[in-house]
Structures are given as C-alpha cells and as structure tokens.
Amino acid sequence: MLDFETPVLKQYPIIPLIQPGVMAHSKPYVAKPEIQGKIGFPEELVENWQEVAIKKMGELVSKSRALRVFLDSCVKCGACTDKCHYFLGTADPKNMPVARQDLFRDVYRRYFTFAGKYFPKLVGAKEMDKEMLDDWYSYFHQCSQCRRCSVYCPFGIDTAEISMAAREILDSVGVGQKYCNEIIGKAQTIGNNLGLREPALLDTLEGLEEDIEEETGVVVRLPLDQKNADILLVTPSADFFAEPHVDGLIGYAKVFHAAGLSWTLSSHASEAANFGMFIGSHENMQILAMRIRDAALDLGVKRIVFGECGHAWSVAYNFLNTLAGPFDFLDPNYPVPQHICEVTYDLIQRDLLTLDKSANDDKVLTFHDSCNIARG
Amino acid sequence: MSLLTLIFVLLFYTATATLVVGLAYKIRLYAKTPAPLRIPVTPAPITRWGVVARMFFEVTLFNSLFKANKWIWLFGWLFHAALLLVLLRHFRYFTDPVWGWIGAIQPYGKYAAFVMIFGLAGLWARRFLVDRVRYISSPSDHLMLALLIAIGLTGLGMKYVSHTDIVAVKAFFLGLMYFDWQPLPSDLFLVIHLSLVVLLMIIFPFSKLLHAPGLFFSPTRTQVDNAREKRHVVGL
C-alpha cells in the first residue's frame, strides 16, 4: 500500500500551503502499442513528437471556441486555486486548476501568440520539451474532469476542456494512458468497458433475477436484447459486476417491474460510460455514442434511459443528441436520453410506485457526487 | 507642431488602430471558432433570456468570483467598477459640449481613482502574500498591475499635485478626433500618463486583458442548457 496521510475533514476546508512537485511521480500506466493502435493512435512516442504535438494543438484550438477563449482569458486571479480536490488533497501546486491549465497555456503561448513568441520569459511561455511532456502526462491525468473549477472561474474557464485537449495531444504523439484506452477498445468491440461478452452478461442477469426472487419472492426480469421493448436501459457495466453498483441495477429492475414498464438491456450497447470523453477524442466518443443509437434502432425501442454514472450522464445529457442524434425515431413524449432518477421521480409523482418508506429509514444519507461534482 | 505633439499624435493613432483592429480580429476569431459540443456549467439557464440574465450578473456583479473568493471579488470588483467610472469621467475630453450625464458623474469619478488604486493594490498584495497566487504569477502579471497603478497615480498627480492645462488636453484629443491637430501640454505627469495609456492600448489585444471580450464567448457561461430538446450541430 502507498503511504498516505489522509486529511481530516473539518467544517471549513483548510487550504494547504503549496508543496511543489510532491505529485510529479504520480502517473498512469502507459498504454501498450496494440492498445494504442486499436483505437487509431500511434503505437509509441513518434520521432517528431514535438512537431506533431504543436500541430495537433493548433488544430484543436482552431476547432474549439472553448479552448481559444480559455487560453486567452485567464487573468491568474487565483479564484480556482483552492477549488480542486486534487490540490486540496495533495498540496501540489500543479494540481491547482490554473497551474494545470498553464502547463498547456504556456506551450500554446510559446508557439501561437505574439507575446509568447517574442517575450516568452515575460509571459511565462515555455517550450514543448520532454520535461513538459512528462509533466503533461503526470498532471493532466490528475484531473477527474469534474468541472468544479469552472463553477468558480469568473470567465467560466473549464480545466476539463484543457485536460481533454492535452490527453488528445498525448495520444496523437503515441503516449496514451492504458486504463482509458484499453477500455475504449473493449467497449468498441465487445460493447462494454469490462469486456463482458453476451453469454457472461446473460449469466449475470439470470443470477440477479434469482437473487431478487430469493430476497423478495417476486419474479423480476432483467431482459437482454429483447426486441420491441419500450425502454432501452444503458447503464455502466460496473452495474453488472461490482458492489455496490449492482444494487443500483437491481433497483432499476424493481422500479421497471413495479411500474409495469417494458424494458431491455443491450449486449451491443452494454455501457453507459463514454471514455472517449476522458481522452478528449471526439472520434472515439462518437463511435461509442453511435453504438447506443444502433442498439435502439436494432431493438426497436421507444425510449432510452441511462443508469446512474456521473460522467456517463454528462456525455449522455449534453452530447448524445449531437453525437448520435437526431432521435426522431423515438417517442417524442420523453427526453432522450432520460436519467433513471427522472423516470423514477416521474413514476412517484404519478403514484405508479408504492414505496415502503420504512424499508430504508435506518440509513443516514449524504449527497456525494464525487465523479462530477454537483453535475458541473 | 512640437515634436512632443507629433509623437503623441502618431502614438495615439497607432495605439487606437492596434486596439481596434486587434480586438476586432480576436472577437471575429472567437465568434467564428466552432463550439462542437454543449458544455454549459450547472446551474445553467434553460432559455436564451436566462443566459442574458446570467451574463448580466456575471459582468456587472462578478457572481462566480463572489462564490469563489471574497477578497479577490472585493478588490477585483472595486477596481473594475472604479475604472468604469474613471473612464466615463474621461469622456469629457472627447465630447464637446460635454454630455449632461458625463458632467453629472464628475464629482464621483474624481474619487474613483483612489478606489481603483486600492483595488489594484489589494490584487497586487495577493500576488506576494498568498503562496498559491505567488506561484501562478508571471512577470507580466505583476507588470500589468504596475502599469494600471502607474496610470492611476499619474492621473491623480495631475489632479492633486501638479495641475496640467486640461483645456489644452481636451483641444488635443478633439483635434485627434477631427484630424485638426492641436499642441499637447508638456507636463511630466501628463506625458507619463498618456505614454502608459498608449502602452496599455497596444498590449490589450495581445495580453490577458482579452478576458474582457473572452467572457462573452465562454461556452460554459453563454450556452443554453437544452441539449436534449434542441440538437446542437455545428458545421464540423
């Protein structure tokens, strides 16, 4: 185990004094060549990587108003400096949102702005050298893209956009991150991040059906690939597998059952999370989003409902219509996609669910949206 | 025409052209660069008018900054509000006869310079005193504050230390506007004040001062939260 000093949670946050470099060692495993190649990236660090990186940077900025505005607008006021949980937990100044952005901005200024080209020292512009590349790999992977910093920035600068662009550049020079890239490959070929194939999924769902019957005495189905069901449920594959996620899926099944809704899961689109977003790859994000559209068309459903997952919902709610729409073949009376909480809330409002409030009244609840703080 | 007048005539035309062309170029670039995906930040308005309201409060009250940090908000807001008043007060050098409401704010504008310098000093102090802000400050961040403070101090200098012939100054600026050049008084405070203003105008489109137009193009603030209802498509 790593030697950690867990900060004590107090009523008011204590802002740590900065400790430069304490997290420089922290970096994810590099993706193997075959993982990189599979999703369209160079297999290893390309020879002329500096050139490729700068070219890619220019390309990305020219295609993103967010990047263009964010890179120009920061006044270094410091409002975001104590808003990132990575900074609060580590005290490494490069985990302050502005400093993380500056790893990107300093390079951008050096190669793309008048001030950075001619007065680099004055404005803090820096070369894209190996040391910078290493810093990028380390610190741009210490951002969970929760967007909390953007809530506080007076200009709405969103570090997530810059982290995504940086990761896309890293991928484009051949330095990918194993976790995300391997998962994207799996989701694109098998249908979900965990790589669960159809037979394994079927088996898991049958097991859950047995568990529910054992616990409640009620037969609740968890259908897979059922044609002409009304609802396609897309949920993170962790729900098929891990505790306590699986309790969520069992709950969804119970809700659908109690409300008498016809629903199905899909083996083709058995994953809500879209890791294309984490690596800032529009292409990969689109491929993954299209699987959901294809499954909806193939199964002939009328609605698409998402199970709970912070970043999955972020992509689904904001991007799915753009990436895989228009969804004019679905029932226009429901938003596409709909969140399972929206579905449940609606059912409660319409008195279609009978709730036994005493069933869970021994539990103390807290609001914790760790992946995507308060749905930034 | 004296050499000083000639230099300042040229400087002001150059600076104005740089500022206007530079800003127009940047604004056009911001407007033309596509925003491929919807990224409004929660809590985001679900109508256009909601966005107008959100932006209005962001621009006039610095809402998000208030949530983030009360000290930065206090110094930053005071500086910007005072700067606005000071700039409006300066309209009297460019309008003849002076517009009524510009005349009406003159007494307040006089004190706004002190508030402006107070705000700037507070922001600058943070760059030394708060370790996190010290870490993110580059030389240009310090120099920008120094420049603004120097402009404020030399302006105050003309008001309270060594008066300059403001009737002649006004004639100079009206002359610039109507291409009928008039002599500029050669007082030290005035020459420094105007030189620094020229410098500020020239660096505006190349510096972080671009946050002024940038704010109006920030997708996280200006987008409507309606991605499900209205398909967002950009010609990409």
Side-chain angles (χ1 to χ4, degrees):
Chain A
M1 277 294 283
L2 281 171
D3 193 16
F4 267 118
E5 209 180 304
T6 310
V8 183
L9 195 62
K10 304 233 173 88
Q11 188 174 4
Y12 297 101
I14 307 242
I15 316 301
L17 288 174
I18 61 171
Q19 297 177 42
V22 291
M23 289 303 282
H25 66 280
S26 171
K27 56 189 72 166
Y29 289 112
V30 178
K32 290 198 183 86
E34 60 269 25
I35 292 173
Q36 287 289 99
K38 196 171 163 188
I39 57 171
F41 298 126
E43 298 195 336
E44 49 196 20
L45 187 63
V46 295
E47 212 168 294
N48 56 341
W49 64 271
Q50 270 166 308
E51 207 179 300
V52 176
I54 300 308
K55 186 162 165 268
K56 187 76 187 173
M57 182 182 267
E59 223 172 84
L60 291 177
V61 172
S62 74
K63 280 196 274 185
S64 163
R65 180 182 302 160
L67 281 181
R68 214 185 255 303
V69 170
F70 296 166
L71 291 172
D72 277 354
S73 296
C74 179
V75 298
K76 318 290 167 88
C77 70
C80 63
T81 53
D82 56 352
K83 302 299 184 285
C84 177
H85 46 279
Y86 283 85
F87 171 71
L88 294 173
T90 68
D92 188 317
K94 283 179 183 162
N95 276 331
M96 300 188 294
V98 46
R100 195 186 314 285
Q101 292 163 26
D102 277 351
L103 294 174
F104 195 101
R105 187 178 285 115
D106 291 347
V107 175
Y108 173 75
R109 300 211 74 169
R110 183 73 184 95
Y111 295 94
F112 295 97
T113 68
F114 177 84
K117 275 180 194 162
Y118 300 103
F119 309 99
K121 288 242 166 61
L122 182 70
V123 295
K126 298 203 179 88
E127 302 281 334
M128 185 75 203
D129 51 20
K130 189 67 176 57
E131 199 184 328
M132 182 62 83
L133 189 79
D134 291 343
D135 257 5
W136 274 35
Y137 192 74
S138 177
Y139 290 102
F140 280 120
H141 287 119
Q142 297 181 50
C143 164
S144 63
Q145 303 177 348
C146 74
R147 310 180 76 201
R148 185 171 192 247
C149 48
S150 72
V151 173
Y152 294 101
C153 174
F155 315 110
I157 297 174
D158 180 6
T159 312
E161 290 293 315
I162 293 170
S163 291
M164 284 154 70
R167 293 179 193 179
E168 168 82 338
I169 292 171
L170 287 169
D171 273 325
S172 77
V173 299
V175 195
Q177 176 226 135
K178 176 174 178 260
Y179 180 64
C180 278
N181 291 5
E182 186 172 4
I183 275 174
I184 291 169
K186 271 188 206 156
Q188 286 180 6
T189 48
I190 300 170
N192 57 65
N193 291 355
L194 291 177
L196 295 167
R197 290 173 199 281
E198 196 185 330
L201 267 181
L202 263 177
D203 193 52
T204 305
L205 296 175
E206 271 169 25
L208 293 180
E209 287 174 353
E210 282 163 22
D211 290 351
I212 297 173
E213 194 178 348
E214 208 167 287
E215 182 207 329
T216 64
V218 182
V219 179
V220 174
R221 295 252 298 117
L222 281 94
L224 183 68
D225 294 329
Q226 186 170 305
K227 291 239 176 195
N228 301 317
D230 287 343
I231 295 173
L232 167 64
L233 176 74
V234 186
T235 202
S237 55
D239 284 8
F240 303 122
F241 180 75
E243 288 280 354
H245 311 64
V246 70
D247 294 333
L249 179 57
I250 290 172
Y252 308 159
K254 286 179 181 171
V255 166
F256 288 134
H257 177 84
L261 292 167
S262 123
W263 69 288
T264 184
L265 290 152
S266 155
S267 58
H268 183 71
S270 42
E271 180 61 63
N274 192 323
F275 275 41
M277 183 189 70
F278 288 123
I279 62 164
S281 166
H282 198 98
E283 292 75 19
N284 280 293
M285 197 155 59
Q286 186 141 31
I287 292 170
L288 292 169
M290 284 307 282
R291 290 180 77 89
I292 296 169
R293 180 193 175 88
D294 294 343
L297 279 168
D298 186 43
L299 295 169
V301 297
K302 300 193 181 87
R303 300 162 64 180
I304 297 175
V305 171
F306 266 66
E308 164 53 19
C309 172
H311 287 85
W313 184 241
S314 194
V315 176
Y317 178 84
N318 283 309
F319 306 163
L320 194 69
N321 200 4
T322 300
L323 292 171
F327 290 103
D328 43 11
F329 57 92
L330 296 172
D331 185 344
N333 293 313
Y334 299 94
V336 182
Q338 205 175 10
H339 193 280
I340 186 69
C341 286
E342 291 178 305
V343 175
T344 311
Y345 180 74
D346 180 51
L347 293 171
I348 294 172
Q349 294 302 302
R350 288 159 51 202
D351 275 331
L352 292 170
L353 288 181
T354 319
L355 298 176
D356 174 8
K357 291 187 181 172
S358 67
N360 290 309
D361 66 358
D362 57 321
K363 295 189 169 63
V364 179
L365 300 181
T366 182
F367 177 70
H368 182 214
D369 198 1
S370 53
C371 304
N372 214 336
I373 292 169
R375 297 294 128 120
Chain B
M1 194 165 26
S2 71
L3 181 63
L4 183 79
T5 303
L6 179 68
I7 290 172
F8 272 92
V9 165
L10 292 175
L11 277 179
F12 267 102
Y13 283 139
T14 313
T16 308
T18 311
L19 180 69
V20 172
V21 175
L23 273 186
Y25 172 76
K26 275 290 180 181
I27 289 172
R28 189 165 172 274
L29 209 55
Y30 294 156
K32 293 207 108 181
T33 308
L37 293 168
R38 275 292 160 101
I39 52 167
V41 163
T42 308
I46 54 172
T47 62
R48 250 300 122 205
W49 281 109
V51 168
V52 171
R54 176 187 215 174
M55 289 304 290
F56 176 80
F57 291 116
E58 282 295 338
V59 172
T60 55
L61 297 178
F62 301 4
N63 263 13
S64 299
L65 187 57
F66 184 78
K67 278 187 277 183
N69 186 305
K70 301 294 183 278
W71 285 114
I72 308 177
W73 179 84
L74 179 74
F75 295 133
W77 191 84
L78 282 178
F79 157 61
H80 282 86
L83 176 66
L84 177 68
L85 215 57
V86 167
L87 282 176
L88 289 175
R89 183 171 137 88
H90 280 68
F91 267 54
R92 64 178 173 156
Y93 296 106
F94 303 91
T95 54
D96 192 39
V98 175
W99 302 336
W101 63 278
I102 294 292
I105 60 165
Q106 293 301 319
Y108 310 104
K110 207 161 60 179
Y111 303 110
F114 291 103
V115 178
M116 188 178 121
I117 290 169
F118 169 77
L120 288 165
L123 291 173
W124 206 358
R126 287 184 56 83
R127 295 215 180 274
F128 291 103
L129 300 178
V130 182
D131 67 333
R132 305 187 307 279
V133 186
R134 191 164 59 227
Y135 181 87
I136 56 172
S137 301
S138 57
S140 58
D141 298 314
H142 289 282
L143 289 173
M144 192 65 80
L145 289 164
L147 176 62
L148 288 163
I149 287 178
I151 290 174
L153 287 177
T154 48
L156 280 175
M158 279 180 279
K159 180 78 198 163
Y160 295 103
V161 181
S162 159
H163 282 275
T164 199
D165 180 357
I166 58 170
V167 176
V169 173
K170 177 163 183 165
F172 171 79
F173 280 106
L174 287 173
L176 276 182
M177 288 164 65
Y178 298 110
F179 299 98
D180 172 23
W181 304 310
Q182 303 297 319
L184 182 73
S186 58
D187 301 314
L188 185 64
F189 279 135
L190 179 69
V191 170
I192 300 176
H193 188 69
L194 294 184
S195 307
L196 297 178
V197 169
V198 162
L199 182 62
L200 185 69
M201 288 165 77
I202 289 175
I203 60 177
F204 199 110
F206 303 100
S207 67
K208 65 175 183 177
L209 299 180
L210 285 169
H211 68 277
L215 174 58
F216 294 92
F217 292 93
S218 179
T220 53
R221 292 280 187 270
T222 57
Q223 286 182 343
V224 183
D225 179 10
N226 64 352
R228 288 193 297 185
E229 291 76 21
K230 195 165 173 284
R231 185 161 184 247
H232 174 83
V233 184
V234 172
L236 260 185

